[in-house]
């Protein structure tokens, strides 16, 4: 299969693909639909009843949810079978992320763990690192986090001030610095940390139990409050040389490639959140009455004129089949 041509400055679905080239939820097979339903039921029955306590930083509930998600296989979609995973594809990973998008703050914690908290080991870990960490991450026994951002290194993430110096014996690295706005900071057991070495940016595996590792207070956020966000503090933390992830001086390869893959997962999750928001709005419009009729009745004509019908966020397949074009409605 050839590479798809990327069209710049052109909205999705304005291309001239045939209906057969557009993937929709109707194309999922029975196994994939089962995974989708399993995730949906997990969010509805396990996550939603705890959303209020999670937003009050009930970290123990979050840890239990991770273990339950692990038991269902939701954390191991992309983890190879030999390390306790399911060895499934990006499509399934995206489907799980979408369904998890309805899970409020927990969806953010989940996607960080399953994305940047796990993928670095899959793509850059040594055999020993994979054997040690992936089974724990796949089951939810351990929770993962990713520590790149610093107080003065946000978008310019590779301009980090955290340092790593190899000791005289050449057996361990000494890390010093702070990583800011780290998702899952308070609940994580292991962090992928990026630090400057003499050879350049390098990725390290840092366990929560290592001496010199501490976590700052929870950030006071405007939203997604239940997703732990805090500063990771590193004070003379000794990291064995075997905990270098990837190659020394090549940490930027790990950082940027993993972020790119994780953004795909985030996009799917946002679709799930958008669908939930649309559902809540529609339900409210059906129940709320003004001037003797439900709100949604005021908008029926506009909806029909826009040709919304059965709107699906995965694609505009139905319109393409009818020879229509997607365009702005208002």
């Amino acid at each position: 299969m050839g590479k798809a041509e990327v069209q710049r400055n052109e909205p999705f679905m304005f291309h001239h693909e045939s209906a057969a080239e557009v993937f929709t939820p109707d194309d999922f097979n029975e196994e994939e639909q089962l995974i989708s339903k399993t995730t949906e039921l997990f969010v509805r029955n396990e996550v939603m009843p705890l959303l209020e306590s999670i937003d009050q930083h009930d970290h123990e509930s979050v840890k239990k949810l991770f273990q339950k998600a692990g038991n269902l296989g939701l954390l191991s979609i992309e983890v190879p079978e030999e390390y306790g995973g399911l060895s499934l594809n990006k499509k399934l990973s995206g489907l799980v992320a979408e369904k998890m998008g309805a899970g409020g703050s927990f969806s953010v914690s989940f996607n960080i763990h399953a994305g940047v908290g796990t993928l670095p080991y899959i793509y850059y870990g040594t055999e020993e690192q994979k054997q040690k960490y992936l089974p724990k991450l796949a089951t939810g026994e351990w929770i993962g986090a990713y520590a790149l951002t610093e107080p003065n290194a946000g978008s310019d993430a590779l301009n980090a001030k955290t340092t790593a110096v190899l000791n005289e014996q050449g057996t361990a690295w000494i890390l010093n610095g702070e990583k800011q706005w780290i998702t899952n900071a308070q609940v994580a057991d292991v962090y992928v940390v990026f630090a400057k070495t003499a050879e350049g940016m390098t990725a390290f595996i840092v366990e929560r139990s290592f001496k010199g590792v501490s976590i700052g207070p929870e950030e006071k956020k405007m939203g997604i409050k239940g997703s732990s966000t805090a500063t990771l503090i590193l004070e003379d933390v000794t990291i064995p040389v075997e905990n270098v992830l990837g190659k020394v001086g090549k940490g930027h390869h790990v950082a940027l490639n993993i972020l790119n893959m994780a953004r795909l997962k985030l996009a799917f999750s946002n679709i799930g959140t958008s669908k939930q928001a649309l559902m809540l709005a529609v339900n409210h419009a059906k129940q709320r009455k003004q001037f003797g009729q439900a709100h949604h009745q005021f908008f029926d004509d506009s909806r029909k004129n826009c040709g919304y019908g059965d709107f699906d966020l995965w694609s505009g397949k139905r319109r393409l089949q009818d020879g229509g074009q997607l365009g702005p409605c208002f």
Side-chain angles (χ1 to χ4, degrees), residues 98-113:
E98 180 195 331
K99 295 299 181 180
M100 197 65 67
S105 296
F106 181 75
S107 70
V108 178
S109 299
F110 176 92
N111 282 318
I112 288 296
H113 169 90

Side-chain angles (χ1 to χ4, degrees), residues 160-300:
K161 297 296 187 290
T162 297
T163 61
V165 179
L166 191 63
N167 65 10
E168 293 182 358
Q169 295 78 22
T171 57
W173 295 86
I174 310 301
L175 269 63
N176 282 283
E178 292 187 3
K179 295 293 181 176
Q180 198 168 38
W181 301 307
I182 305 307
T183 304
N184 286 348
Q186 291 280 3
V187 298
D189 300 281
V190 62
Y191 308 83
V192 175
V193 177
F194 296 86
K196 275 191 173 181
T197 66
E199 294 83 357
M201 180 72 73
T202 303
F204 297 90
I205 301 171
V206 179
E207 297 180 19
R208 175 75 172 266
S209 60
F210 286 173
K211 184 179 179 181
V213 175
S214 60
I215 311 297
E218 290 285 354
E219 298 287 350
K220 297 180 180 180
K221 298 180 294 185
M222 296 177 66
I224 54 172
K225 296 181 179 180
S227 171
S228 175
T229 305
T231 299
L232 174 65
I233 303 168
L234 307 164
E235 298 177 294
D236 291 329
V237 181
T238 300
I239 307 295
V241 291
E242 55 266 27
N243 276 36
V244 170
L245 190 60
K247 297 181 179 179
V248 175
K250 301 295 182 181
H252 57 290
H253 292 173
V254 180
L256 299 180
N257 285 317
I258 294 300
L259 282 176
N260 284 336
M261 286 186 282
R263 285 173 180 135
L264 176 63
K265 192 183 298 289
L266 177 61
F268 279 110
S269 181
N270 288 342
I271 289 174
T273 305
S274 299
K275 284 185 175 181
Q276 183 191 38
L278 180 61
M279 179 193 69
L280 292 172
V282 169
N283 289 341
H284 177 75
K286 288 180 177 179
Q287 296 170 8
R288 174 75 170 171
K289 291 185 177 181
Q290 291 288 280
F291 303 102
Q293 63 181 14
H295 274 193
H296 75 91
Q297 292 176 295
F298 292 103
F299 302 101
D300 275 352

Side-chain angles (χ1 to χ4, degrees), residues 42 46-47 49-55 57-68 106 143 187:
F42 171 75
E46 302 291 346
V47 178
L50 296 175
L51 286 181
E52 186 173 345
S53 63
I54 290 174
D55 277 352
H57 298 145
D58 181 2
H59 296 321
E60 289 306 312
S61 290
V62 171
K63 292 178 181 179
K64 290 178 181 178
L65 285 175
F66 267 107
Q67 292 173 358
K68 290 181 179 180
F106 181 75
I143 299 173
V187 298

Side-chain angles (χ1 to χ4, degrees), residues 7 9-17 320 325-328:
Q7 301 290 333
N9 302 318
E10 189 173 356
F12 173 64
M13 295 307 302
F14 275 73
H15 313 313
H16 302 288
E17 296 95 341
L320 287 174
Q325 294 182 352
L326 294 179

